[in-house]
Structures are given as structure tokens and as C-alpha cells.
Coordinates of all heavy atoms in Angstrom, one line a residue:
M1 N -37.4 -54.8 86.4 CA -36.9 -56.2 86.4 C -35.4 -56.1 86.8 O -34.6 -55.3 86.4 CB -37.0 -56.8 85.0 CG -36.1 -58.0 84.7 SD -36.6 -59.6 84.4 CE -38.2 -60.0 84.4
P2 N -35.0 -57.1 87.8 CA -33.6 -57.1 88.2 C -32.7 -57.5 87.1 O -33.0 -58.1 86.1 CB -33.7 -58.1 89.3 CG -34.9 -58.9 89.2 CD -35.9 -58.1 88.4
D3 N -31.4 -57.1 87.4 CA -30.4 -57.5 86.4 C -30.3 -59.0 86.4 O -30.1 -59.6 87.4 CB -29.0 -56.9 86.9 CG -27.9 -57.2 85.9 OD1 -28.1 -57.7 84.9 OD2 -26.8 -56.9 86.3
E4 N -30.3 -59.6 85.2 CA -30.3 -61.0 85.1 C -28.9 -61.5 84.5 O -28.8 -62.5 83.8 CB -31.4 -61.5 84.1 CG -32.8 -61.2 84.6 CD -33.2 -62.1 85.8 OE1 -32.7 -63.3 85.9 OE2 -33.9 -61.6 86.7
T5 N -27.9 -60.8 84.9 CA -26.5 -61.1 84.4 C -25.9 -62.2 85.3 O -25.8 -62.0 86.5 CB -25.6 -59.9 84.4 OG1 -26.2 -58.9 83.6 CG2 -24.3 -60.2 83.9
W6 N -25.6 -63.3 84.6 CA -24.9 -64.4 85.3 C -23.4 -64.0 85.5 O -22.8 -63.5 84.5 CB -25.0 -65.7 84.6 CG -26.3 -66.3 84.7 CD1 -27.4 -66.1 83.9 CD2 -26.8 -67.3 85.6 NE1 -28.5 -66.8 84.3 CE2 -28.1 -67.6 85.4 CE3 -26.1 -67.9 86.7 CZ2 -28.9 -68.4 86.1 CZ3 -26.9 -68.8 87.5 CH2 -28.2 -69.0 87.2
L7 N -22.9 -64.2 86.6 CA -21.4 -63.9 86.9 C -20.6 -65.1 86.7 O -21.0 -66.2 87.2 CB -21.3 -63.4 88.3 CG -22.1 -62.2 88.7 CD1 -22.0 -61.9 90.2 CD2 -21.7 -61.0 87.9
R8 N -19.6 -65.0 85.9 CA -18.8 -66.2 85.6 C -17.5 -66.2 86.4 O -16.9 -65.2 86.7 CB -18.3 -66.2 84.1 CG -19.4 -66.4 83.1 CD -18.9 -66.5 81.7 NE -20.0 -66.7 80.8 CZ -20.5 -67.9 80.5 NH1 -20.0 -69.0 81.1 NH2 -21.5 -68.0 79.7
S9 N -17.1 -67.4 86.9 CA -15.9 -67.6 87.5 C -15.3 -69.0 87.0 O -16.0 -69.7 86.3 CB -16.0 -67.7 89.0 OG -16.5 -68.9 89.5
P10 N -14.1 -69.3 87.3 CA -13.5 -70.6 86.9 C -14.3 -71.8 87.5 O -14.3 -72.9 86.9 CB -12.1 -70.6 87.4 CG -11.8 -69.2 87.6 CD -13.0 -68.5 88.0
D11 N -15.1 -71.5 88.5 CA -15.8 -72.6 89.2 C -17.3 -72.7 88.7 O -17.9 -73.7 89.1 CB -15.8 -72.4 90.7 CG -14.4 -72.3 91.3 OD1 -13.7 -73.3 91.0 OD2 -14.1 -71.4 92.0
G12 N -17.8 -71.8 87.9 CA -19.2 -71.9 87.5 C -19.8 -70.5 87.3 O -19.2 -69.5 87.1
L13 N -21.2 -70.6 87.4 CA -22.0 -69.4 87.1 C -22.8 -69.0 88.4 O -23.2 -70.0 89.1 CB -23.0 -69.6 86.0 CG -22.4 -69.9 84.6 CD1 -23.6 -70.4 83.7 CD2 -21.8 -68.7 84.1
T14 N -23.0 -67.8 88.7 CA -23.8 -67.3 89.8 C -24.7 -66.2 89.4 O -24.3 -65.3 88.6 CB -22.8 -66.8 90.9 OG1 -22.0 -67.9 91.3 CG2 -23.7 -66.4 92.2
L15 N -25.9 -66.2 89.8 CA -26.9 -65.2 89.6 C -27.4 -64.7 91.0 O -27.8 -65.5 91.8 CB -28.0 -65.6 88.8 CG -29.2 -64.6 88.6 CD1 -28.7 -63.4 87.7 CD2 -30.4 -65.3 87.9
L16 N -27.3 -63.4 91.3 CA -27.8 -62.8 92.5 C -29.0 -62.0 92.1 O -28.9 -61.1 91.3 CB -26.7 -62.0 93.2 CG -25.4 -62.6 93.5 CD1 -24.4 -61.6 94.1 CD2 -25.7 -63.7 94.5
R17 N -30.1 -62.3 92.8 CA -31.3 -61.5 92.5 C -32.3 -61.6 93.6 O -32.3 -62.6 94.3 CB -32.0 -61.9 91.2 CG -32.4 -63.4 91.1 CD -33.4 -63.6 90.0 NE -34.6 -62.8 90.3 CZ -35.7 -62.8 89.6 NH1 -35.7 -63.5 88.6 NH2 -36.7 -62.0 89.9
P18 N -33.2 -60.6 93.8 CA -34.2 -60.7 94.8 C -35.3 -61.7 94.5 O -35.6 -61.8 93.3 CB -34.8 -59.3 94.9 CG -34.1 -58.5 93.9 CD -33.2 -59.3 93.1
F19 N -35.7 -62.4 95.4 CA -36.8 -63.4 95.2 C -38.0 -63.1 96.2 O -37.8 -62.9 97.4 CB -36.3 -64.8 95.6 CG -35.8 -65.6 94.4 CD1 -34.8 -65.1 93.6 CD2 -36.3 -66.8 94.1 CE1 -34.3 -65.8 92.6 CE2 -35.8 -67.6 93.0 CZ -34.8 -67.0 92.3
A20 N -39.2 -63.0 95.7 CA -40.3 -62.7 96.5 C -40.5 -63.8 97.6 O -41.0 -63.6 98.7 CB -41.6 -62.6 95.7
S21 N -40.1 -65.0 97.3 CA -40.3 -66.1 98.2 C -39.0 -66.5 99.0 O -38.9 -67.5 99.6 CB -40.7 -67.4 97.4 OG -39.7 -67.7 96.5
S22 N -38.1 -65.5 99.1 CA -36.9 -65.8 99.9 C -37.2 -65.8 101.4 O -38.2 -65.2 101.7 CB -35.8 -64.7 99.6 OG -36.1 -63.5 100.1
P23 N -36.3 -66.3 102.2 CA -36.7 -66.4 103.6 C -36.8 -65.0 104.3 O -37.4 -64.9 105.4 CB -35.5 -67.2 104.2 CG -34.7 -67.7 103.1 CD -35.1 -67.0 101.9
Y24 N -36.1 -64.0 103.8 CA -36.1 -62.7 104.4 C -36.5 -61.6 103.4 O -36.2 -61.8 102.2 CB -34.7 -62.4 105.0 CG -34.4 -63.4 106.1 CD1 -33.4 -64.3 105.9 CD2 -35.1 -63.4 107.3 CE1 -33.1 -65.3 106.9 CE2 -34.8 -64.3 108.3 CZ -33.8 -65.3 108.1 OH -33.5 -66.2 109.0
P25 N -37.0 -60.5 103.8 CA -37.4 -60.2 105.2 C -38.5 -61.1 105.7 O -39.3 -61.6 104.9 CB -37.8 -58.8 105.2 CG -38.0 -58.4 103.8 CD -37.4 -59.4 102.9
H26 N -38.6 -61.3 107.0 CA -39.6 -62.2 107.6 C -40.1 -61.5 108.9 O -39.3 -61.0 109.7 CB -39.0 -63.6 107.9 CG -40.1 -64.5 108.3 ND1 -40.5 -64.7 109.6 CD2 -40.8 -65.4 107.6 CE1 -41.4 -65.6 109.7 NE2 -41.6 -66.1 108.5
P27 N -41.4 -61.5 109.2 CA -41.9 -60.9 110.4 C -41.3 -61.3 111.7 O -41.2 -60.6 112.6 CB -43.4 -61.3 110.3 CG -43.7 -61.6 108.9 CD -42.5 -62.1 108.3
S28 N -40.8 -62.6 111.7 CA -40.2 -63.1 113.0 C -38.9 -62.4 113.3 O -38.4 -62.5 114.4 CB -40.1 -64.6 112.9 OG -39.1 -65.0 111.9
R29 N -38.3 -61.8 112.3 CA -37.0 -61.1 112.5 C -37.2 -59.6 112.4 O -36.2 -58.9 112.3 CB -36.0 -61.6 111.4 CG -35.7 -63.1 111.5 CD -34.9 -63.3 112.8 NE -34.3 -64.6 112.8 CZ -34.7 -65.7 113.4 NH1 -35.8 -65.6 114.2 NH2 -34.1 -66.8 113.4
A30 N -38.4 -59.1 112.5 CA -38.6 -57.6 112.4 C -37.8 -56.8 113.4 O -37.4 -55.7 113.2 CB -40.1 -57.3 112.4
Q31 N -37.6 -57.4 114.6 CA -36.9 -56.7 115.7 C -35.5 -57.3 115.8 O -34.8 -57.1 116.8 CB -37.6 -56.9 117.0 CG -39.0 -56.4 117.0 CD -39.1 -55.0 116.6 OE1 -38.4 -54.1 117.1 NE2 -40.0 -54.6 115.7
G32 N -35.0 -58.0 114.8 CA -33.7 -58.7 114.8 C -33.8 -60.0 115.5 O -34.9 -60.5 115.8
H33 N -32.7 -60.6 115.9 CA -32.6 -61.9 116.5 C -31.4 -62.0 117.4 O -30.3 -61.6 117.0 CB -32.6 -63.0 115.5 CG -32.5 -64.4 116.0 ND1 -33.5 -65.0 116.7 CD2 -31.5 -65.3 116.0 CE1 -33.1 -66.2 117.1 NE2 -31.9 -66.4 116.6
T34 N -31.6 -62.4 118.6 CA -30.4 -62.6 119.5 C -30.0 -64.1 119.5 O -30.8 -65.0 119.7 CB -30.8 -62.2 120.9 OG1 -31.2 -60.8 120.9 CG2 -29.6 -62.3 121.9
Y35 N -28.7 -64.3 119.3 CA -28.1 -65.6 119.2 C -26.9 -65.6 120.0 O -26.0 -64.8 119.8 CB -27.9 -66.0 117.8 CG -27.2 -67.4 117.7 CD1 -28.0 -68.6 117.9 CD2 -25.9 -67.6 117.3 CE1 -27.4 -69.8 117.8 CE2 -25.3 -68.8 117.2 CZ -26.1 -69.9 117.5 OH -25.5 -71.2 117.4
Q36 N -26.8 -66.5 121.0 CA -25.6 -66.6 121.9 C -25.2 -65.2 122.5 O -24.1 -64.8 122.5 CB -24.4 -67.2 121.2 CG -24.7 -68.7 120.8 CD -23.5 -69.3 120.2 OE1 -22.5 -68.7 119.7 NE2 -23.5 -70.7 120.1
G37 N -26.3 -64.5 122.9 CA -26.1 -63.2 123.5 C -25.8 -62.0 122.6 O -25.6 -60.9 123.1
K38 N -25.7 -62.3 121.3 CA -25.4 -61.2 120.4 C -26.7 -60.9 119.6 O -27.3 -61.8 119.0 CB -24.3 -61.6 119.4 CG -23.9 -60.5 118.5 CD -22.8 -60.9 117.6 CE -22.5 -59.7 116.6 NZ -21.5 -60.0 115.6
L39 N -27.0 -59.6 119.5 CA -28.2 -59.2 118.7 C -27.8 -59.0 117.2 O -26.8 -58.2 116.9 CB -28.7 -57.8 119.2 CG -29.9 -57.2 118.4 CD1 -31.1 -58.2 118.3 CD2 -30.2 -55.8 118.9
F40 N -28.5 -59.6 116.3 CA -28.3 -59.5 114.9 C -29.5 -58.6 114.4 O -30.6 -59.1 114.4 CB -28.3 -60.8 114.2 CG -27.1 -61.6 114.6 CD1 -27.1 -62.5 115.7 CD2 -25.9 -61.6 113.8 CE1 -26.0 -63.2 116.1 CE2 -24.8 -62.3 114.2 CZ -24.8 -63.1 115.3
D41 N -29.2 -57.3 114.1 CA -30.3 -56.4 113.9 C -31.0 -56.7 112.5 O -30.4 -57.3 111.6 CB -29.9 -55.0 113.9 CG -28.9 -54.7 112.8 OD1 -27.7 -54.9 113.0 OD2 -29.3 -54.2 111.7
A42 N -32.3 -56.3 112.4 CA -33.1 -56.6 111.2 C -32.5 -55.9 110.0 O -32.5 -56.6 108.9 CB -34.5 -56.2 111.5
I43 N -32.1 -54.7 110.0 CA -31.7 -54.0 108.8 C -30.4 -54.6 108.2 O -30.4 -54.9 107.0 CB -31.4 -52.5 109.2 CG1 -32.7 -51.8 109.6 CG2 -30.8 -51.8 108.0 CD1 -33.8 -51.7 108.5
T44 N -29.5 -54.9 109.1 CA -28.2 -55.5 108.6 C -28.3 -57.0 108.2 O -27.8 -57.4 107.1 CB -27.1 -55.4 109.6 OG1 -27.0 -54.0 110.0 CG2 -25.8 -55.9 109.1
H45 N -29.1 -57.7 108.9 CA -29.0 -59.2 108.7 C -30.3 -59.8 108.2 O -30.2 -61.0 107.7 CB -28.7 -59.9 110.1 CG -27.4 -59.4 110.7 ND1 -26.2 -60.0 110.3 CD2 -27.1 -58.5 111.6 CE1 -25.2 -59.4 110.9 NE2 -25.7 -58.5 111.7
Y46 N -31.4 -59.2 108.2 CA -32.7 -59.8 107.9 C -33.6 -59.1 106.9 O -34.8 -59.3 106.9 CB -33.5 -60.2 109.1 CG -32.7 -61.1 110.1 CD1 -32.2 -60.6 111.3 CD2 -32.5 -62.4 109.7 CE1 -31.5 -61.4 112.1 CE2 -31.8 -63.3 110.6 CZ -31.3 -62.8 111.8 OH -30.6 -63.6 112.6
S47 N -33.0 -58.1 106.1 CA -33.8 -57.3 105.3 C -33.6 -57.6 103.8 O -34.3 -57.1 103.0 CB -33.6 -55.8 105.6 OG -32.3 -55.5 105.3
D48 N -32.6 -58.4 103.5 CA -32.3 -58.6 102.1 C -32.9 -59.9 101.5 O -32.8 -60.9 102.0 CB -30.7 -58.7 102.0 CG -30.2 -58.8 100.6 OD1 -31.0 -58.9 99.6 OD2 -29.0 -58.7 100.4
S49 N -33.7 -59.7 100.4 CA -34.4 -60.9 99.8 C -33.6 -61.5 98.7 O -34.1 -62.3 97.9 CB -35.7 -60.4 99.3 OG -35.6 -59.5 98.2
T50 N -32.3 -61.1 98.6 CA -31.4 -61.6 97.5 C -31.2 -63.1 97.7 O -30.9 -63.6 98.8 CB -30.1 -60.9 97.4 OG1 -30.4 -59.5 97.2 CG2 -29.2 -61.4 96.3
V51 N -31.3 -63.8 96.6 CA -30.9 -65.3 96.6 C -29.8 -65.5 95.6 O -29.8 -64.8 94.5 CB -32.2 -66.1 96.2 CG1 -31.9 -67.6 96.0 CG2 -33.3 -66.0 97.3
G52 N -28.9 -66.3 95.9 CA -27.8 -66.6 94.9 C -28.1 -68.0 94.3 O -28.3 -69.0 95.0
L53 N -28.1 -68.0 93.0 CA -28.2 -69.3 92.3 C -26.8 -69.6 91.7 O -26.2 -68.8 91.1 CB -29.2 -69.1 91.1 CG -30.6 -68.7 91.5 CD1 -31.4 -68.4 90.2 CD2 -31.3 -69.7 92.3
V54 N -26.4 -70.8 92.0 CA -25.0 -71.3 91.6 C -25.1 -72.5 90.8 O -25.8 -73.5 91.2 CB -24.2 -71.5 92.9 CG1 -22.8 -72.1 92.5 CG2 -24.1 -70.3 93.8
I55 N -24.5 -72.5 89.6 CA -24.4 -73.6 88.8 C -22.9 -74.0 88.6 O -22.1 -73.2 88.0 CB -25.0 -73.4 87.4 CG1 -26.5 -73.0 87.5 CG2 -24.8 -74.6 86.5 CD1 -27.2 -72.6 86.2
P56 N -22.4 -75.0 89.2 CA -21.0 -75.4 89.2 C -20.6 -75.8 87.8 O -21.4 -76.3 87.0 CB -20.9 -76.5 90.2 CG -22.2 -77.0 90.5 CD -23.2 -76.0 90.0
V57 N -19.3 -75.5 87.5 CA -18.8 -75.9 86.2 C -18.9 -77.4 86.1 O -18.8 -78.1 87.1 CB -17.3 -75.4 86.1 CG1 -16.4 -76.2 87.0 CG2 -16.8 -75.5 84.7
G58 N -19.2 -77.9 84.9 CA -19.4 -79.3 84.7 C -20.8 -79.8 85.0 O -21.0 -81.0 84.8
F59 N -21.7 -79.0 85.4 CA -23.1 -79.4 85.6 C -23.7 -79.9 84.3 O -23.5 -79.2 83.3 CB -23.9 -78.3 86.2 CG -25.4 -78.6 86.3 CD1 -25.9 -79.4 87.2 CD2 -26.2 -78.1 85.3 CE1 -27.2 -79.7 87.3 CE2 -27.6 -78.4 85.3 CZ -28.1 -79.2 86.3
R60 N -24.4 -81.0 84.4 CA -25.1 -81.5 83.2 C -26.5 -81.9 83.6 O -26.7 -82.6 84.6 CB -24.4 -82.8 82.7 CG -23.0 -82.6 82.2 CD -22.9 -81.9 80.9 NE -21.5 -81.7 80.5 CZ -20.8 -80.6 80.7 NH1 -21.3 -79.6 81.4 NH2 -19.5 -80.5 80.3
P61 N -27.5 -81.3 83.0 CA -28.9 -81.6 83.3 C -29.2 -83.1 83.1 O -28.6 -83.7 82.2 CB -29.7 -80.8 82.3 CG -28.8 -79.7 81.8 CD -27.4 -80.3 81.9
S62 N -30.0 -83.6 83.9 CA -30.4 -85.0 83.8 C -31.8 -85.2 84.2 O -32.5 -84.2 84.6 CB -29.4 -85.9 84.6 OG -29.6 -85.6 86.0
Q63 N -32.3 -86.5 84.3 CA -33.7 -86.7 84.7 C -34.0 -86.2 86.1 O -35.0 -85.8 86.4 CB -34.0 -88.2 84.6 CG -34.1 -88.8 83.2 CD -35.4 -88.3 82.6 OE1 -36.3 -88.0 83.2 NE2 -35.3 -88.2 81.3
S64 N -32.9 -86.3 87.0 CA -33.1 -85.8 88.3 C -31.8 -85.0 88.7 O -30.7 -85.3 88.2 CB -33.3 -86.9 89.4 OG -32.1 -87.7 89.5
T65 N -32.0 -83.9 89.4 CA -30.9 -83.0 89.7 C -31.0 -82.7 91.2 O -32.1 -82.3 91.7 CB -31.0 -81.7 88.9 OG1 -31.0 -82.0 87.5 CG2 -29.9 -80.8 89.3
D66 N -29.9 -82.9 91.9 CA -29.8 -82.6 93.3 C -29.6 -81.1 93.4 O -28.9 -80.5 92.6 CB -28.7 -83.3 94.0 CG -29.0 -84.8 94.1 OD1 -30.2 -85.2 94.1 OD2 -28.0 -85.6 94.1
F67 N -30.1 -80.4 94.4 CA -29.8 -79.0 94.6 C -29.6 -78.8 96.1 O -30.1 -79.5 96.9 CB -30.8 -78.1 94.0 CG -32.2 -78.2 94.6 CD1 -32.5 -77.3 95.6 CD2 -33.1 -79.1 94.1 CE1 -33.8 -77.4 96.1 CE2 -34.4 -79.1 94.6 CZ -34.7 -78.3 95.6
I68 N -29.0 -77.7 96.4 CA -28.7 -77.3 97.8 C -29.3 -76.0 98.1 O -29.2 -75.1 97.3 CB -27.1 -77.3 98.0 CG1 -26.5 -78.6 97.8 CG2 -26.9 -76.7 99.4 CD1 -25.0 -78.6 97.8
I69 N -29.9 -75.9 99.2 CA -30.4 -74.6 99.7 C -29.5 -74.2 100.9 O -29.4 -75.0 101.9 CB -31.8 -74.6 100.1 CG1 -32.7 -74.9 99.0 CG2 -32.2 -73.2 100.8 CD1 -34.2 -75.2 99.3
H70 N -28.7 -73.1 100.7 CA -27.7 -72.8 101.7 C -27.9 -71.3 102.1 O -27.8 -70.4 101.3 CB -26.3 -73.0 101.0 CG -25.2 -72.9 102.0 ND1 -23.9 -72.9 101.6 CD2 -25.1 -72.8 103.4 CE1 -23.1 -72.9 102.6 NE2 -23.8 -72.8 103.7
T71 N -28.3 -71.1 103.4 CA -28.5 -69.7 103.8 C -27.3 -69.3 104.7 O -26.7 -70.1 105.5 CB -29.8 -69.6 104.6 OG1 -29.7 -70.5 105.8 CG2 -31.0 -70.0 103.8
L72 N -26.9 -68.1 104.6 CA -25.8 -67.5 105.3 C -26.1 -66.2 105.8 O -26.9 -65.4 105.2 CB -24.5 -67.4 104.4 CG -23.9 -68.6 103.9 CD1 -22.8 -68.3 103.0 CD2 -23.3 -69.4 105.1
D73 N -25.6 -65.8 107.0 CA -25.7 -64.5 107.5 C -24.5 -63.7 107.1 O -23.7 -63.3 107.9 CB -25.9 -64.5 109.0 CG -26.1 -63.2 109.6 OD1 -26.5 -62.3 108.9 OD2 -25.9 -63.0 110.8
L74 N -24.3 -63.5 105.8 CA -23.2 -62.8 105.2 C -23.7 -61.8 104.2 O -24.7 -62.0 103.5 CB -22.2 -63.8 104.6 CG -21.6 -64.8 105.5 CD1 -20.9 -65.9 104.7 CD2 -20.7 -64.2 106.5
L75 N -22.9 -60.8 103.9 CA -23.3 -59.8 102.9 C -22.9 -60.5 101.6 O -21.7 -60.7 101.3 CB -22.5 -58.5 103.1 CG -22.9 -57.8 104.3 CD1 -22.0 -56.6 104.5 CD2 -24.3 -57.3 104.3
H76 N -23.9 -60.9 100.8 CA -23.6 -61.7 99.6 C -22.6 -61.1 98.6 O -21.8 -61.8 98.1 CB -24.9 -62.0 98.8 CG -25.7 -60.8 98.4 ND1 -25.3 -60.1 97.3 CD2 -26.7 -60.1 98.9 CE1 -26.1 -59.0 97.1 NE2 -27.0 -59.1 98.2
D77 N -22.7 -59.8 98.3 CA -21.9 -59.2 97.3 C -20.4 -59.1 97.8 O -19.5 -59.0 97.0 CB -22.4 -57.9 96.7 CG -22.7 -56.9 97.8 OD1 -22.8 -57.3 99.0 OD2 -22.9 -55.8 97.4
E78 N -20.2 -59.2 99.1 CA -18.8 -59.1 99.6 C -18.2 -60.5 99.7 O -17.0 -60.7 99.7 CB -18.8 -58.4 100.9 CG -19.0 -57.0 100.9 CD -18.9 -56.3 102.2 OE1 -18.2 -56.9 103.1 OE2 -19.4 -55.2 102.4
V79 N -19.1 -61.5 99.8 CA -18.6 -62.9 100.2 C -18.8 -63.9 99.1 O -18.0 -64.7 98.7 CB -19.3 -63.4 101.5 CG1 -18.8 -64.8 101.8 CG2 -18.9 -62.5 102.6
L80 N -20.0 -63.9 98.5 CA -20.4 -65.0 97.6 C -19.4 -65.2 96.4 O -19.1 -66.3 96.1 CB -21.8 -64.8 97.0 CG -22.4 -65.9 96.2 CD1 -22.4 -67.2 97.0 CD2 -23.8 -65.6 95.7
M81 N -19.0 -64.1 95.8 CA -18.1 -64.2 94.6 C -16.7 -64.4 95.0 O -15.8 -64.5 94.1 CB -18.4 -63.0 93.7 CG -19.7 -63.1 93.0 SD -20.1 -64.7 92.3 CE -18.8 -64.9 91.1
K82 N -16.3 -64.3 96.2 CA -14.9 -64.6 96.6 C -14.7 -66.1 96.3 O -15.4 -66.9 96.7 CB -14.6 -64.3 98.1 CG -14.6 -62.8 98.3 CD -14.2 -62.5 99.7 CE -14.1 -61.1 100.0 NZ -13.8 -60.8 101.4
R83 N -13.6 -66.4 95.7 CA -13.3 -67.8 95.3 C -13.3 -68.7 96.6 O -13.7 -69.8 96.5 CB -11.9 -67.8 94.6 CG -11.6 -69.2 94.1 CD -10.4 -69.2 93.2 NE -10.0 -70.5 92.8 CZ -10.5 -71.0 91.7 NH1 -11.2 -70.3 90.9 NH2 -10.1 -72.2 91.3
S84 N -12.8 -68.2 97.7 CA -12.8 -69.1 98.9 C -14.2 -69.6 99.3 O -14.4 -70.7 99.6 CB -12.1 -68.4 100.1 OG -12.8 -67.2 100.4
Y85 N -15.2 -68.7 99.2 CA -16.6 -69.1 99.5 C -17.1 -70.0 98.4 O -17.7 -71.0 98.7 CB -17.5 -67.9 99.6 CG -18.9 -68.4 99.9 CD1 -19.2 -68.9 101.1 CD2 -19.8 -68.5 98.8 CE1 -20.5 -69.4 101.4 CE2 -21.1 -69.0 99.1 CZ -21.4 -69.4 100.3 OH -22.6 -70.0 100.5
F86 N -16.8 -69.8 97.2 CA -17.3 -70.6 96.1 C -16.7 -72.0 96.3 O -17.4 -73.0 96.1 CB -16.9 -70.0 94.7 CG -17.9 -70.4 93.6 CD1 -18.4 -69.4 92.8 CD2 -18.2 -71.7 93.4 CE1 -19.2 -69.7 91.8 CE2 -19.1 -72.0 92.3 CZ -19.6 -71.0 91.6
E87 N -15.4 -72.1 96.6 CA -14.8 -73.4 96.8 C -15.5 -74.1 98.0 O -15.7 -75.3 97.9 CB -13.3 -73.3 97.0 CG -12.6 -72.9 95.8 CD -11.1 -72.6 96.0 OE1 -10.7 -72.5 97.1 OE2 -10.4 -72.3 95.0
L88 N -15.7 -73.4 99.1 CA -16.4 -74.0 100.2 C -17.8 -74.5 99.8 O -18.1 -75.7 100.2 CB -16.5 -73.0 101.4 CG -17.4 -73.4 102.6 CD1 -16.7 -74.6 103.3 CD2 -17.6 -72.3 103.5
F89 N -18.5 -73.7 99.1 CA -19.8 -74.2 98.7 C -19.8 -75.5 97.8 O -20.5 -76.4 98.0 CB -20.5 -73.1 97.8 CG -21.8 -73.5 97.3 CD1 -23.0 -73.5 98.0 CD2 -21.9 -74.0 95.9 CE1 -24.2 -73.9 97.5 CE2 -23.1 -74.4 95.4 CZ -24.2 -74.4 96.2
L90 N -18.8 -75.5 96.9 CA -18.7 -76.7 96.0 C -18.2 -77.9 96.8 O -18.7 -79.0 96.5 CB -17.7 -76.4 94.9 CG -18.2 -75.3 93.9 CD1 -17.1 -75.0 92.9 CD2 -19.5 -75.8 93.2
R91 N -17.4 -77.7 97.8 CA -17.0 -78.9 98.7 C -18.2 -79.4 99.4 O -18.4 -80.6 99.6 CB -15.9 -78.5 99.6 CG -14.5 -78.5 99.1 CD -13.5 -78.6 100.2 NE -13.6 -77.5 101.1 CZ -13.0 -76.3 101.0 NH1 -12.2 -76.1 100.0 NH2 -13.2 -75.4 101.9
T92 N -19.1 -78.5 99.9 CA -20.3 -79.0 100.6 C -21.3 -79.7 99.7 O -22.1 -80.5 100.2 CB -21.0 -77.9 101.4 OG1 -21.5 -76.9 100.5 CG2 -20.1 -77.2 102.4
A93 N -21.2 -79.4 98.4 CA -22.1 -80.0 97.5 C -21.7 -81.4 97.0 O -22.5 -82.1 96.4 CB -22.2 -79.1 96.2
Q94 N -20.5 -81.8 97.4 CA -20.0 -83.1 96.9 C -20.6 -84.2 97.7 O -20.9 -84.1 98.9 CB -18.5 -83.1 96.9 CG -18.0 -82.2 95.9 CD -16.4 -82.2 95.9 OE1 -15.8 -82.8 96.7 NE2 -15.9 -81.4 95.0

């Protein structure tokens, strides 16, 4: 079982864990993907099934809850918990 530890920051909670239903790895990216003339190889960019769950500070459950699915071609453990990324994510959620 993956580590189920929620990471706390002043902006909220984050959980990083592999999901069987995540977008990657995917057969369509087995050889990587070329975008604007640049090859994004499969191992570096398309092999990680980790999904980040983010609950912003102040969240209150209600009858309906909006959520955002946000995919990035970034190394999650180097970027996701940096405050600058968290702030960007929260701004896009408003």
C-alpha cells in the first residue's frame, strides 16, 4: 500500500500517490511524444502514474463540490510542493 501521508502547507493539504486509472503510463506514449519538434521520452515524461490530490485551506464540503483535473509535464516531487506552484494552482481554481 502506498504512503497515505497528507503533506501540509499553509495553503492546504496534498497527497501524492499512484493511481491505477491515472493517464500515464499510456500505450499511445510508449515511444514518447514529439511536440513542437521536441521529443518527450516515455521514461522521463510518461511513465509515472502518480496523481496529486490537493485540498485548499478553507475547503468546506457541501452538496456539490467543484474539482479540477490538472495535468502537468513536471516532476511532481520537485514542483508540486513548491509554494509557487501551489499558489498558481489555487489561482486557477478561483
